[in-house]
mmCIF file of all heavy atoms in Angstrom:
data_model
loop_
_atom_site.group_PDB
_atom_site.id
_atom_site.type_symbol
_atom_site.label_atom_id
_atom_site.label_comp_id
_atom_site.label_asym_id
_atom_site.label_seq_id
_atom_site.Cartn_x
_atom_site.Cartn_y
_atom_site.Cartn_z
ATOM 1 N N ILE A 229 58.215 141.620 168.491
ATOM 2 C CA ILE A 229 58.110 142.975 169.075
ATOM 3 C C ILE A 229 59.158 143.226 170.069
ATOM 4 O O ILE A 229 59.851 144.231 170.095
ATOM 5 C CB ILE A 229 56.646 143.143 169.680
ATOM 6 C CG1 ILE A 229 55.618 143.164 168.531
ATOM 7 C CG2 ILE A 229 56.635 144.461 170.486
ATOM 8 C CD1 ILE A 229 54.190 143.133 169.039
ATOM 9 N N ALA A 230 59.374 142.229 171.011
ATOM 10 C CA ALA A 230 60.415 142.338 171.991
ATOM 11 C C ALA A 230 61.785 142.457 171.493
ATOM 12 O O ALA A 230 62.730 143.029 172.040
ATOM 13 C CB ALA A 230 60.315 141.183 172.941
ATOM 14 N N HIS A 231 61.982 141.890 170.324
ATOM 15 C CA HIS A 231 63.373 141.921 169.709
ATOM 16 C C HIS A 231 63.467 143.105 168.711
ATOM 17 O O HIS A 231 64.360 143.025 167.792
ATOM 18 C CB HIS A 231 63.677 140.543 168.941
ATOM 19 C CG HIS A 231 63.951 139.514 170.001
ATOM 20 N ND1 HIS A 231 63.113 138.578 170.373
ATOM 21 C CD2 HIS A 231 65.119 139.263 170.546
ATOM 22 C CE1 HIS A 231 63.607 137.789 171.217
ATOM 23 N NE2 HIS A 231 64.922 138.134 171.385
ATOM 24 N N GLY A 232 62.588 144.135 168.900
ATOM 25 C CA GLY A 232 62.866 145.374 168.147
ATOM 26 C C GLY A 232 62.137 145.495 166.787
ATOM 27 O O GLY A 232 62.495 146.386 166.005
ATOM 28 N N HIS A 233 61.097 144.583 166.572
ATOM 29 C CA HIS A 233 60.270 144.675 165.404
ATOM 30 C C HIS A 233 58.837 144.953 165.703
ATOM 31 O O HIS A 233 57.976 144.083 165.619
ATOM 32 C CB HIS A 233 60.338 143.351 164.546
ATOM 33 C CG HIS A 233 61.788 142.981 164.294
ATOM 34 N ND1 HIS A 233 62.633 143.632 163.483
ATOM 35 C CD2 HIS A 233 62.589 141.915 164.815
ATOM 36 C CE1 HIS A 233 63.832 143.029 163.423
ATOM 37 N NE2 HIS A 233 63.751 142.021 164.213
ATOM 38 N N PRO A 234 58.448 146.145 166.217
ATOM 39 C CA PRO A 234 57.082 146.385 166.738
ATOM 40 C C PRO A 234 56.122 146.680 165.505
ATOM 41 O O PRO A 234 54.892 146.704 165.680
ATOM 42 C CB PRO A 234 57.277 147.705 167.530
ATOM 43 C CG PRO A 234 58.386 148.322 166.957
ATOM 44 C CD PRO A 234 59.353 147.305 166.526
ATOM 45 N N ASP A 235 56.599 146.876 164.216
ATOM 46 C CA ASP A 235 55.822 146.996 163.156
ATOM 47 C C ASP A 235 55.676 145.768 162.368
ATOM 48 O O ASP A 235 56.618 145.220 161.780
ATOM 49 C CB ASP A 235 56.433 148.121 162.234
ATOM 50 C CG ASP A 235 56.396 149.539 162.859
ATOM 51 O OD1 ASP A 235 55.312 149.860 163.308
ATOM 52 O OD2 ASP A 235 57.399 150.121 162.898
ATOM 53 N N LEU A 236 54.482 145.117 162.546
ATOM 54 C CA LEU A 236 54.311 143.759 161.967
ATOM 55 C C LEU A 236 53.307 143.724 160.737
ATOM 56 O O LEU A 236 52.392 144.462 160.834
ATOM 57 C CB LEU A 236 53.755 142.837 163.042
ATOM 58 C CG LEU A 236 54.629 142.616 164.263
ATOM 59 C CD1 LEU A 236 53.919 141.734 165.249
ATOM 60 C CD2 LEU A 236 55.992 141.965 163.924
ATOM 61 N N VAL A 237 53.743 142.917 159.794
ATOM 62 C CA VAL A 237 52.831 142.620 158.674
ATOM 63 C C VAL A 237 52.476 141.200 158.821
ATOM 64 O O VAL A 237 53.285 140.296 158.849
ATOM 65 C CB VAL A 237 53.450 142.952 157.289
ATOM 66 C CG1 VAL A 237 52.585 142.430 156.239
ATOM 67 C CG2 VAL A 237 53.830 144.394 157.207
ATOM 68 N N ALA A 238 51.134 140.893 158.950
ATOM 69 C CA ALA A 238 50.690 139.512 159.135
ATOM 70 C C ALA A 238 50.284 139.073 157.752
ATOM 71 O O ALA A 238 49.306 139.576 157.226
ATOM 72 C CB ALA A 238 49.607 139.338 160.129
ATOM 73 N N ASP A 239 51.090 138.157 157.107
ATOM 74 C CA ASP A 239 50.663 137.610 155.751
ATOM 75 C C ASP A 239 49.780 136.436 156.057
ATOM 76 O O ASP A 239 50.183 135.418 156.525
ATOM 77 C CB ASP A 239 51.976 137.245 155.060
ATOM 78 C CG ASP A 239 51.642 136.586 153.699
ATOM 79 O OD1 ASP A 239 50.438 136.432 153.335
ATOM 80 O OD2 ASP A 239 52.647 136.389 152.964
ATOM 81 N N LEU A 240 48.482 136.641 155.730
ATOM 82 C CA LEU A 240 47.485 135.578 155.959
ATOM 83 C C LEU A 240 47.147 134.808 154.762
ATOM 84 O O LEU A 240 46.102 134.045 154.745
ATOM 85 C CB LEU A 240 46.224 136.356 156.508
ATOM 86 C CG LEU A 240 46.498 137.156 157.771
ATOM 87 C CD1 LEU A 240 45.295 137.871 158.244
ATOM 88 C CD2 LEU A 240 47.015 136.336 158.929
ATOM 89 N N SER A 241 47.878 134.932 153.656
ATOM 90 C CA SER A 241 47.601 134.182 152.351
ATOM 91 C C SER A 241 47.477 132.743 152.551
ATOM 92 O O SER A 241 46.587 132.102 151.766
ATOM 93 C CB SER A 241 48.609 134.569 151.330
ATOM 94 O OG SER A 241 49.878 134.112 151.724
ATOM 95 N N GLY A 242 48.164 132.122 153.541
ATOM 96 C CA GLY A 242 48.098 130.693 153.657
ATOM 97 C C GLY A 242 47.029 130.222 154.714
ATOM 98 O O GLY A 242 46.942 129.027 154.994
ATOM 99 N N VAL A 243 46.292 131.118 155.289
ATOM 100 C CA VAL A 243 45.318 130.780 156.368
ATOM 101 C C VAL A 243 44.148 130.165 155.624
ATOM 102 O O VAL A 243 43.474 130.727 154.844
ATOM 103 C CB VAL A 243 44.948 131.964 157.166
ATOM 104 C CG1 VAL A 243 43.756 131.643 158.166
ATOM 105 C CG2 VAL A 243 46.167 132.498 157.976
ATOM 106 N N THR A 244 43.803 128.939 156.111
ATOM 107 C CA THR A 244 42.641 128.230 155.532
ATOM 108 C C THR A 244 41.376 128.323 156.427
ATOM 109 O O THR A 244 40.380 128.041 155.944
ATOM 110 C CB THR A 244 43.042 126.720 155.344
ATOM 111 O OG1 THR A 244 43.374 126.141 156.631
ATOM 112 C CG2 THR A 244 44.137 126.580 154.313
ATOM 113 N N PHE A 245 41.539 128.778 157.655
ATOM 114 C CA PHE A 245 40.417 128.830 158.560
ATOM 115 C C PHE A 245 40.850 129.684 159.739
ATOM 116 O O PHE A 245 42.048 129.746 160.156
ATOM 117 C CB PHE A 245 40.054 127.462 159.145
ATOM 118 C CG PHE A 245 39.051 127.451 160.226
ATOM 119 C CD1 PHE A 245 37.697 127.642 159.934
ATOM 120 C CD2 PHE A 245 39.445 127.388 161.530
ATOM 121 C CE1 PHE A 245 36.772 127.661 160.959
ATOM 122 C CE2 PHE A 245 38.441 127.379 162.598
ATOM 123 C CZ PHE A 245 37.143 127.592 162.222
ATOM 124 N N CYS A 246 39.943 130.535 160.237
ATOM 125 C CA CYS A 246 40.270 131.410 161.417
ATOM 126 C C CYS A 246 38.989 131.450 162.253
ATOM 127 O O CYS A 246 37.953 131.793 161.776
ATOM 128 C CB CYS A 246 40.695 132.821 160.981
ATOM 129 S SG CYS A 246 41.087 133.926 162.329
ATOM 130 N N ASP A 247 39.163 131.123 163.571
ATOM 131 C CA ASP A 247 38.024 131.212 164.462
ATOM 132 C C ASP A 247 38.250 132.352 165.347
ATOM 133 O O ASP A 247 39.119 133.177 165.210
ATOM 134 C CB ASP A 247 37.840 129.956 165.216
ATOM 135 C CG ASP A 247 38.985 129.554 166.221
ATOM 136 O OD1 ASP A 247 39.891 130.415 166.471
ATOM 137 O OD2 ASP A 247 38.956 128.498 166.817
ATOM 138 N N SER A 248 37.328 132.513 166.356
ATOM 139 C CA SER A 248 37.441 133.695 167.362
ATOM 140 C C SER A 248 38.779 133.710 168.066
ATOM 141 O O SER A 248 39.191 134.854 168.382
ATOM 142 C CB SER A 248 36.273 133.624 168.296
ATOM 143 O OG SER A 248 36.369 132.445 169.069
ATOM 144 N N SER A 249 39.412 132.623 168.270
ATOM 145 C CA SER A 249 40.716 132.616 168.909
ATOM 146 C C SER A 249 41.767 133.342 168.052
ATOM 147 O O SER A 249 42.651 134.050 168.519
ATOM 148 C CB SER A 249 41.188 131.241 169.288
ATOM 149 O OG SER A 249 40.225 130.609 170.224
ATOM 150 N N GLY A 250 41.732 133.034 166.754
ATOM 151 C CA GLY A 250 42.531 133.707 165.877
ATOM 152 C C GLY A 250 42.444 135.182 165.862
ATOM 153 O O GLY A 250 43.333 135.989 165.798
ATOM 154 N N LEU A 251 41.098 135.591 165.721
ATOM 155 C CA LEU A 251 40.746 136.992 165.852
ATOM 156 C C LEU A 251 41.231 137.687 167.130
ATOM 157 O O LEU A 251 41.786 138.727 167.100
ATOM 158 C CB LEU A 251 39.262 137.250 165.732
ATOM 159 C CG LEU A 251 38.668 137.062 164.291
ATOM 160 C CD1 LEU A 251 37.118 137.173 164.352
ATOM 161 C CD2 LEU A 251 39.290 137.994 163.305
ATOM 162 N N GLY A 252 41.092 137.012 168.230
ATOM 163 C CA GLY A 252 41.519 137.521 169.474
ATOM 164 C C GLY A 252 43.049 137.649 169.575
ATOM 165 O O GLY A 252 43.545 138.580 170.116
ATOM 166 N N ALA A 253 43.697 136.697 168.946
ATOM 167 C CA ALA A 253 45.188 136.808 168.837
ATOM 168 C C ALA A 253 45.571 138.075 168.047
ATOM 169 O O ALA A 253 46.506 138.749 168.481
ATOM 170 C CB ALA A 253 45.779 135.560 168.218
ATOM 171 N N LEU A 254 44.921 138.347 166.907
ATOM 172 C CA LEU A 254 45.214 139.500 166.124
ATOM 173 C C LEU A 254 45.000 140.775 166.927
ATOM 174 O O LEU A 254 45.787 141.681 166.906
ATOM 175 C CB LEU A 254 44.317 139.540 164.827
ATOM 176 C CG LEU A 254 44.726 138.496 163.798
ATOM 177 C CD1 LEU A 254 43.728 138.573 162.628
ATOM 178 C CD2 LEU A 254 46.189 138.627 163.335
ATOM 179 N N VAL A 255 43.962 140.834 167.761
ATOM 180 C CA VAL A 255 43.623 142.048 168.515
ATOM 181 C C VAL A 255 44.758 142.154 169.554
ATOM 182 O O VAL A 255 45.292 143.229 169.802
ATOM 183 C CB VAL A 255 42.230 141.929 169.211
ATOM 184 C CG1 VAL A 255 42.056 143.063 170.176
ATOM 185 C CG2 VAL A 255 41.179 142.065 168.152
ATOM 186 N N GLY A 256 45.059 141.070 170.235
ATOM 187 C CA GLY A 256 46.162 141.121 171.236
ATOM 188 C C GLY A 256 47.474 141.505 170.599
ATOM 189 O O GLY A 256 48.225 142.338 171.257
ATOM 190 N N ILE A 257 47.865 141.109 169.510
ATOM 191 C CA ILE A 257 49.106 141.447 168.787
ATOM 192 C C ILE A 257 49.039 142.930 168.488
ATOM 193 O O ILE A 257 49.993 143.674 168.643
ATOM 194 C CB ILE A 257 49.312 140.520 167.610
ATOM 195 C CG1 ILE A 257 49.572 139.100 167.998
ATOM 196 C CG2 ILE A 257 50.405 141.129 166.706
ATOM 197 C CD1 ILE A 257 49.376 138.158 166.857
ATOM 198 N N TRP A 258 47.957 143.406 167.950
ATOM 199 C CA TRP A 258 47.720 144.768 167.663
ATOM 200 C C TRP A 258 47.874 145.727 168.829
ATOM 201 O O TRP A 258 48.704 146.705 168.798
ATOM 202 C CB TRP A 258 46.359 145.057 167.006
ATOM 203 C CG TRP A 258 46.016 146.447 166.774
ATOM 204 C CD1 TRP A 258 46.423 147.276 165.779
ATOM 205 C CD2 TRP A 258 45.114 147.248 167.620
ATOM 206 N NE1 TRP A 258 45.895 148.545 165.923
ATOM 207 C CE2 TRP A 258 45.027 148.519 166.992
ATOM 208 C CE3 TRP A 258 44.396 146.972 168.732
ATOM 209 C CZ2 TRP A 258 44.284 149.538 167.558
ATOM 210 C CZ3 TRP A 258 43.564 148.004 169.242
ATOM 211 C CH2 TRP A 258 43.562 149.308 168.708
ATOM 212 N N ARG A 259 47.400 145.307 169.976
ATOM 213 C CA ARG A 259 47.483 146.070 171.190
ATOM 214 C C ARG A 259 48.956 146.128 171.717
ATOM 215 O O ARG A 259 49.437 147.133 172.016
ATOM 216 C CB ARG A 259 46.677 145.500 172.343
ATOM 217 C CG ARG A 259 45.135 145.828 172.120
ATOM 218 C CD ARG A 259 44.343 145.345 173.299
ATOM 219 N NE ARG A 259 42.881 145.609 173.090
ATOM 220 C CZ ARG A 259 41.957 144.905 173.492
ATOM 221 N NH1 ARG A 259 42.190 143.806 174.191
ATOM 222 N NH2 ARG A 259 40.689 145.219 173.255
ATOM 223 N N CYS A 260 49.594 145.043 171.665
ATOM 224 C CA CYS A 260 51.071 144.943 172.117
ATOM 225 C C CYS A 260 51.852 145.774 171.103
ATOM 226 O O CYS A 260 52.862 146.439 171.583
ATOM 227 C CB CYS A 260 51.445 143.505 172.184
ATOM 228 S SG CYS A 260 50.743 142.536 173.513
ATOM 229 N N ALA A 261 51.663 145.698 169.863
ATOM 230 C CA ALA A 261 52.421 146.480 168.939
ATOM 231 C C ALA A 261 52.226 148.002 169.208
ATOM 232 O O ALA A 261 53.142 148.690 169.170
ATOM 233 C CB ALA A 261 52.003 146.117 167.457
ATOM 234 N N LYS A 262 50.991 148.310 169.414
ATOM 235 C CA LYS A 262 50.687 149.766 169.670
ATOM 236 C C LYS A 262 51.393 150.224 170.991
ATOM 237 O O LYS A 262 51.943 151.355 171.019
ATOM 238 C CB LYS A 262 49.144 150.046 169.820
ATOM 239 C CG LYS A 262 48.440 150.195 168.525
ATOM 240 C CD LYS A 262 47.001 150.747 168.744
ATOM 241 C CE LYS A 262 47.125 152.047 169.264
ATOM 242 N NZ LYS A 262 46.099 152.950 168.998
ATOM 243 N N GLU A 263 51.430 149.395 172.019
ATOM 244 C CA GLU A 263 52.100 149.681 173.191
ATOM 245 C C GLU A 263 53.536 149.870 173.018
ATOM 246 O O GLU A 263 54.241 150.680 173.688
ATOM 247 C CB GLU A 263 51.813 148.598 174.284
ATOM 248 C CG GLU A 263 50.454 148.686 174.808
ATOM 249 C CD GLU A 263 50.100 147.505 175.762
ATOM 250 O OE1 GLU A 263 51.009 146.758 176.156
ATOM 251 O OE2 GLU A 263 48.957 147.359 176.094
ATOM 252 N N ALA A 264 54.166 149.297 171.964
ATOM 253 C CA ALA A 264 55.533 149.392 171.683
ATOM 254 C C ALA A 264 55.767 150.428 170.612
ATOM 255 O O ALA A 264 56.810 150.439 169.998
ATOM 256 C CB ALA A 264 56.121 147.997 171.212
ATOM 257 N N ASP A 265 54.788 151.317 170.341
ATOM 258 C CA ASP A 265 54.836 152.357 169.344
ATOM 259 C C ASP A 265 54.963 151.717 167.959
ATOM 260 O O ASP A 265 55.586 152.280 167.044
ATOM 261 C CB ASP A 265 56.027 153.347 169.498
ATOM 262 C CG ASP A 265 55.712 154.218 170.864
ATOM 263 O OD1 ASP A 265 54.522 154.521 171.012
ATOM 264 O OD2 ASP A 265 56.649 154.538 171.567
ATOM 265 N N GLY A 266 54.280 150.568 167.787
ATOM 266 C CA GLY A 266 54.375 149.853 166.390
ATOM 267 C C GLY A 266 52.978 149.798 165.909
ATOM 268 O O GLY A 266 52.062 150.476 166.210
ATOM 269 N N SER A 267 52.829 148.743 164.942
ATOM 270 C CA SER A 267 51.565 148.637 164.276
ATOM 271 C C SER A 267 51.409 147.203 163.758
ATOM 272 O O SER A 267 52.414 146.390 163.743
ATOM 273 C CB SER A 267 51.532 149.636 163.007
ATOM 274 O OG SER A 267 52.596 149.248 162.098
#
């Protein structure tokens, strides 16, 4: 995001497990992307 890529696609095809920390990270990334006029 800081390097000019505020629109992110998270490819999760290789994720074998996700806990609440992973979900929290996704929410945090979403908020930061929105603040940078991204997604």
Side-chain angles (χ1 to χ4, degrees):
I229 292 168
H231 284 98
H233 307 292
D235 295 307
L236 299 175
V237 173
D239 181 353
L240 305 174
S241 60
V243 172
T244 57
F245 173 79
C246 182
D247 69 5
S248 61
S249 298
L251 287 176
L254 290 174
V255 170
I257 293 165
W258 172 76
R259 285 184 180 149
C260 290
K262 278 192 67 149
E263 289 173 7
D265 293 322
S267 61

